[in-house]
Amino acid sequence: QMHPQQPPIQWGGAIMWRGTTPGVPVRSGASFVGVGSLRHRVVLYPISPPDPATGLATINWIAEITVDNAEGWTQGDWNRRVELSDFAHHFEGWDFGWLDVPSMLRGAKEVFEYPMIDRDPVPTWVDGHVALLGDAAHVMYPVGSNGASQAIVDARVLGASMLSHGVTPAALRAYDERLCADISALVLRNRGAGPFGLLGLVDERCGGVFDDIEQVIPAVEREAYMARYKAAAGFAIETLNAAPSTIAPGARIAA
């Protein structure tokens, strides 16, 4: 209604299968792991603390491939429950010792299929007394784990704007001016590769096969790449921790 001329939902050809499986968290115990290439990968991370008795946490995983999107999304549903046999063959042999992908996929009680979709950014999130936030404002590819967190940031910035301008259209305009342009750029950045661009670099340079990652992408280059993404997405830890609260504790809008 706010942007009736906006183009249709954009699907770039990526299909995701998502599930959760009990497993042992890897590396730090809270690490986000991406394995594979830009067009064929698995991502996983724990979403619960390990059980003290078993050491197993709930591991959230996403298995993904990219296919030709010339005919558009033909499945009808934007999410649907599927059988393991519908997609597991794409990941046969993905057993790296420290990570057995086929076993992880089999351990899920249920799996759902989603096309990876977004929409073109809009020039404004505000129309008079109405403001969009979260996915309504900036639905984006889930490649940087920042869709839900950005919705929280939106709400905090909107609240801070109301503290400064009252519950007025001016507050909505200030919120829009603060976030819309920058987050629109992030939508387009995620449509590219987001943080998974590192996997693309590895693939380009050695076909994904190496003995020493330092000979392919040195640590300083990896860290610089991720620092650029974190800064664009608002995830720069030192900057976040040093910043004042978006809304001061106890702040209230005057009646």
Side-chain angles (χ1 to χ4, degrees), residues 24-35:
V24 178
V26 301
R27 296 180 64 83
S28 71
S31 293
F32 174 104
V33 179
V35 179

Side-chain angles (χ1 to χ4, degrees), residues 61 85 103 145 147 152 166 174 182 196 211-212 221 228-229 247:
W61 54 260
S85 57
S103 177
S145 298
I152 297 170
D182 286 348
F196 294 111
D211 293 318
D212 182 2
E221 184 180 358
R228 290 192 296 272
Y229 183 80
I247 296 177

Side-chain angles (χ1 to χ4, degrees), residues 4 19 21 27 54 70 98 101-102 153 189 212 241:
T21 300
R27 296 180 64 83
T54 65
W98 60 275
V101 172
V153 173
R189 180 185 288 259
D212 182 2
N241 288 343

